Amino acid sequence: MAVYTPKNIPTHERLIFALDVATGAEASAWIERLGEAVSFYKIGLELLASGDYFSVLHELERRGKKIFADLKFHDVPATVAAAVKGLARYPVTFCTIHSDSRAMLEAAAAVKGDLRLLAVTVLTSLNQADLGDLDIRAELASVVTTRARQALAAGFDGVVSSAHEVARLRSDIDHRLICVCPGIRPVATEGTLADDQKRTLDAAQALRAGADYLVIGRPIRLAADPRAAAEALQTSIAAAMQTI
């Protein structure tokens, strides 16, 4: 396969802030606090449970932000397809679906419209031992590659995977695959943040491996100056892209 060439994505949009908060009021405060430092937001299950999910979605739209609906749909094919079809009516760029059923993936892809679907390969909170607990004996990287190949064949646009697996995806999978990577940590705090991520890299390492988008939450939220932290990450991303 040819050497991977980065996709033509506006550099500022490669950073996706994980808006993992419990209420719409908190979400609005973060959107205001980060201002122009962030132009792409992930909204997920915690916010969904608040009842404020779609009001935040529309606020992001009004502010000209891009939206990643990280809802990780997983059900029988008809139910997942109905959920995707409904979500496709909203101004959402990405939506996530678990990847362990080809029939489910194909049903979702058939109704996605302009919505770009991402298959969740192996959660970044899992490692090889965790897969063993699930009686999955294959190498973790092989599981990610197999699920990514299946998702692309089913009509998906990309995957969510750890940055550790991206280089292998780039060598083994068609380069049109979009790779969105959570678990990104700044070098200065690598291994020091108390969280549930087990497979992490810093922003520059992930981009050089072939990541298209980086999902970053705690390193910004827990910073003394979150906006300055986001701006520093944007600078790091821009610098890394100039070397690729």
Side-chain angles (χ1 to χ4, degrees):
M1 185 175 289
V3 175
Y4 176 69
T5 300
K7 296 179 181 63
N8 186 23
I9 300 167
T11 301
H12 204 262
E13 292 181 2
R14 290 182 180 272
L15 168 62
I16 301 176
F17 177 64
L19 196 55
D20 294 332
V21 296
T23 68
E26 291 176 86
S28 295
W30 274 107
I31 297 166
E32 183 66 29
R33 182 179 296 127
L34 295 174
E36 296 305 309
V38 175
S39 58
F40 210 149
Y41 284 82
K42 178 182 82 72
I43 51 177
L45 293 174
E46 184 176 5
L47 189 59
L48 181 66
S50 75
D52 296 329
Y53 196 85
F54 289 97
S55 63
V56 173
L57 188 157
H58 287 303
E59 179 178 355
L60 289 168
E61 179 192 19
R62 288 194 302 272
R63 290 174 177 260
K65 309 298 185 180
K66 299 190 76 170
I67 301 161
F68 172 10
D70 187 23
L71 295 173
K72 298 183 177 72
F73 294 140
H74 189 226
D75 211 308
V76 298
T79 298
V80 170
V84 168
K85 187 174 182 178
L87 189 64
R89 297 176 299 171
Y90 293 89
V92 170
T93 297
F94 293 142
C95 173
T96 46
I97 296 176
H98 278 287
S99 60
D100 57 356
S101 165
R102 180 168 187 134
M104 182 176 64
L105 298 178
E106 290 175 343
V111 297
K112 70 186 183 74
D114 293 331
L115 183 61
R116 286 194 261 179
L117 296 182
L118 305 175
V120 179
T121 53
V122 175
L123 294 171
T124 51
S125 61
L126 302 180
N127 57 23
Q128 190 69 51
D130 295 314
L131 291 188
D133 291 340
L134 298 170
D135 205 27
I136 299 174
R137 303 304 176 190
E139 179 194 6
L140 189 151
S142 177
V143 174
V144 170
T145 302
T146 297
R147 291 181 174 180
R149 185 177 289 113
Q150 174 176 265
L152 198 59
F156 270 51
D157 301 278
V159 297
V160 177
S161 78
S162 162
H164 281 272
E165 284 80 59
V166 169
R168 180 162 172 171
L169 290 174
R170 290 302 178 213
S171 67
D172 293 355
I173 308 291
D174 190 303
H175 289 168
R176 61 194 165 94
L177 185 80
I178 296 170
C179 291
V180 178
C181 297
I184 303 300
R185 298 292 181 256
V187 173
T189 57
E190 185 72 46
T192 65
L193 290 174
D195 61 49
D196 52 6
Q197 302 286 9
K198 295 181 180 177
R199 301 181 347 265
T200 69
L201 287 181
D202 68 61
Q205 290 171 328
L207 291 166
R208 291 182 186 124
D212 295 307
Y213 296 89
L214 310 177
V215 180
I216 303 177
R218 294 179 183 94
I220 295 174
R221 289 199 309 274
L222 300 181
D225 185 338
R227 180 162 181 163
E231 290 171 343
L233 281 162
Q234 292 285 18
T235 299
S236 176
I237 289 169
M241 292 308 301
Q242 290 178 354
T243 68
I244 299 172

